[in-house]
Amino acid sequence: MIARNRSIVALAVLLVLLSSCSGGSGGAVEVLEDPVYGFYLGEKSGDLFERVQYKTSWTRAENPRTSYRGEIYEFSRPADGSREISRLRLTFVDDMLMEVVAYMRSTNISKLNLLKHRIEEDYGVQPTSPDGTTEMAYKTYWFKVPGMSITLRRITKKPENELYIQYMHDEFHRRIK
């Protein structure tokens, strides 16, 4: 009986050690309480894929050639059913959701201003942004909120403009180094 208990304790210790060594940088991160279109920054990929399997579809995307950013997936729609999103890009690092980029269907200035106002109201923060001398074909707002940063950007380009919101867990930069 004592030998069996010791084996169980040894197995538990081994599992803890293995889990702390897996995934590169190691250690779990805080799962943020505020959902981002039905996704939770910090959530484990397996939990997320299981939870949203009947709500949306996804495909694995290629990493940019410049640097590794984690495992990137393109999602066809948000998990919360929001209709304002045309597509999403989710990035996982160490098996945890670290970034959500939501591309808007409507890309006009009114939508940019509405999203900016919504973020200000939801989080009670004011954004910072470049002064306008460096931004010619785009407009960017940066928001710092507890546990994450939010970037709101509209890019004027042909054939269509682009408007997106990027939600990034605070741990993201540390994990991809």
Side-chain angles (χ1 to χ4, degrees), residues 38-51:
F39 303 103
Y40 295 88
L41 291 174
E43 183 175 12
K44 289 239 174 239
S45 63
D47 296 341
L48 183 146
F49 288 125
E50 183 178 330
R51 185 173 56 78

Side-chain angles (χ1 to χ4, degrees), residues 6 21 26 66 77 164:
R6 285 184 181 158
C21 294
T66 55
R77 68 183 66 86
Y164 66 85

Side-chain angles (χ1 to χ4, degrees), residues 99-137:
E99 177 186 51
V100 174
V101 181
Y103 296 88
M104 300 295 135
R105 288 189 193 284
S106 175
T107 61
N108 58 40
I109 299 290
S110 297
K111 184 67 173 183
L112 171 73
N113 291 332
L114 175 68
L115 291 169
K116 177 182 172 279
H117 178 72
R118 189 184 300 166
I119 295 168
E120 290 170 340
E121 290 293 312
D122 287 350
Y123 295 100
V125 295
Q126 293 296 308
T128 58
S129 67
D131 62 10
T133 59
T134 59
E135 293 186 314
M136 302 302 254

Side-chain angles (χ1 to χ4, degrees), residues 66-79:
T66 55
S67 65
Y68 176 75
R69 289 183 55 82
E71 292 184 17
I72 302 171
Y73 291 84
E74 295 281 337
F75 279 69
S76 61
R77 68 183 66 86

Side-chain angles (χ1 to χ4, degrees), residues 163-177:
L163 177 61
Y164 66 85
I165 305 176
Q166 174 188 37
Y167 298 84
M168 191 180 302
H169 197 291
D170 283 346
E171 285 286 316
F172 185 64
H173 289 292
R174 188 177 72 74
R175 295 270 173 157
I176 60 172
K177 286 183 182 177

Side-chain angles (χ1 to χ4, degrees), residues 18-105:
L18 285 174
S19 68
S20 69
C21 294
S22 66
S25 300
V29 299
E30 176 186 5
V31 177
L32 303 184
E33 290 181 18
D34 290 331
V36 175
Y37 299 105
F39 303 103
Y40 295 88
L41 291 174
E43 183 175 12
K44 289 239 174 239
S45 63
D47 296 341
L48 183 146
F49 288 125
E50 183 178 330
R51 185 173 56 78
V52 304
Q53 67 182 330
Y54 301 112
K55 297 177 183 179
T56 183
S57 60
W58 57 86
T59 58
R60 179 91 186 256
E62 288 188 35
N63 259 294
R65 293 183 181 164
T66 55
S67 65
Y68 176 75
R69 289 183 55 82
E71 292 184 17
I72 302 171
Y73 291 84
E74 295 281 337
F75 279 69
S76 61
R77 68 183 66 86
D80 69 356
S82 174
R83 296 189 182 271
E84 67 183 340
I85 309 297
S86 64
R87 65 185 175 89
L88 298 106
R89 188 185 75 218
L90 277 65
T91 304
F92 296 87
V93 176
D94 295 335
D95 197 37
M96 292 168 280
L97 180 60
M98 291 289 155
E99 177 186 51
V100 174
V101 181
Y103 296 88
M104 300 295 135
R105 288 189 193 284

